[in-house]
Amino acid sequence: MIEFNADQYDLGSPEWVQAKRQEAKHLCQFIEKSYINLAKVLYELWATPVGNNAANAQAFTLLGYDDFNEFARKELGMESAKASQFRKIWHTIEFKLSGIDSVTKDRLYAVGWTKLVMLAKIISETNVTHWLDLAEKRNANELRAAIRMSLNTSKDNAVPEEQGSAEPDVLDGQEVMPPASEEVERQKTQSFALPESAFVNVKLALE
């Protein structure tokens, strides 16, 4: 695999952003085998501030874009819904499921991005084994139906959520994180104990 050596540059610097841009373009050509790496790169470009300074704009703006969806569409030929799905995958595995072991994480990677996008809607550290077992045994349509049934049951028994707290629907390949909800995701991300390699943009600007 080609090495782009973004780590040799200061985080959020123009050189770092250019290296990440080239890495993202390369990974798009091998999406089936390297989707998780692409998810990581897209999340980093979206979540890392310029110069790794929380007071600055998101790093991808150094490439001349004000909107991440425009960057994904023009640079990678990727629609906004899919770009959002990839970011959601990385956020789910690395932050929401930060406590799972490496074997479970590898199993999640192995189910493929289509199923993982669905699982991101429902999995947690307490139920990941159950849903992972199901994802390995069932096809995508069967898994989608099982998740919908579980979510509908939960909604019937749930206390109404505060406005703006509901997660978006990701099960039919639609927009995973609508613009109005992305600020909520960034706020939630700040509360995680992040590994040293993870960088989170605390500038809460809506796309």
Side-chain angles (χ1 to χ4, degrees):
M1 181 177 176
I2 298 175
E3 296 292 334
F4 294 92
N5 298 321
D7 292 340
Q8 68 180 306
Y9 305 116
D10 292 334
L11 188 68
S13 67
E15 295 83 2
W16 179 89
V17 173
Q18 290 293 344
K20 287 294 181 181
R21 168 200 244 171
Q22 295 305 317
E23 187 177 0
K25 286 185 174 182
H26 175 75
L27 291 171
C28 269
Q29 300 174 34
F30 306 94
I31 195 169
E32 291 303 322
K33 294 184 178 179
S34 58
Y35 77 94
I36 197 63
N37 294 323
L38 178 58
K40 177 179 183 291
V41 170
L42 291 178
Y43 185 87
E44 288 178 338
L45 281 170
W46 176 78
T48 304
V50 173
N52 199 28
N53 184 334
N56 293 333
Q58 292 156 285
F60 72 85
T61 59
L62 288 177
L63 301 174
Y65 299 98
D66 295 324
D67 179 77
F68 189 84
N69 292 335
E70 182 184 10
F71 158 76
R73 185 172 60 255
K74 291 185 177 180
E75 295 278 341
L76 310 176
M78 182 181 293
E79 292 301 318
S80 60
K82 180 168 284 190
S84 183
Q85 287 172 343
F86 276 109
R87 295 202 313 268
K88 181 71 171 179
I89 285 173
W90 183 255
H91 178 272
T92 297
I93 292 181
E94 293 302 314
F95 301 109
K96 186 178 178 182
L97 302 178
S98 60
I100 65 175
D101 59 67
S102 59
V103 174
T104 303
K105 185 176 290 188
D106 287 342
R107 287 176 64 197
L108 281 169
Y109 294 158
V111 301
W113 85 275
T114 300
K115 289 183 178 180
L116 197 46
V117 167
M118 299 179 200
L119 291 175
K121 178 69 177 179
I122 198 168
I123 55 175
S124 65
E125 290 185 357
T126 58
N127 69 15
V128 63
T129 300
H130 165 74
W131 285 106
L132 185 51
D133 288 343
L134 208 61
E136 291 172 336
K137 296 174 182 177
R138 300 191 181 185
N139 62 37
N141 289 333
E142 292 170 339
L143 179 63
R144 180 182 292 108
I147 292 175
R148 282 201 178 280
M149 181 178 296
S150 180
L151 290 175
N152 288 337
T153 300
S154 298
K155 288 178 182 178
D156 289 342
N157 298 324
V159 175
E161 298 179 353
E162 294 181 5
Q163 184 176 1
S165 64
E167 294 184 5
D169 192 351
V170 303
L171 298 182
D172 293 318
Q174 302 302 313
E175 181 71 47
V176 171
M177 192 63 64
S181 300
E182 291 202 340
E183 181 175 5
V184 175
E185 182 188 347
R186 286 202 190 91
Q187 290 173 327
K188 290 181 179 179
T189 302
Q190 295 176 58
S191 66
F192 289 101
L194 303 180
E196 186 175 350
S197 61
F199 305 95
V200 178
N201 182 8
V202 294
K203 181 178 177 60
L204 309 180
L206 291 176
E207 293 186 349

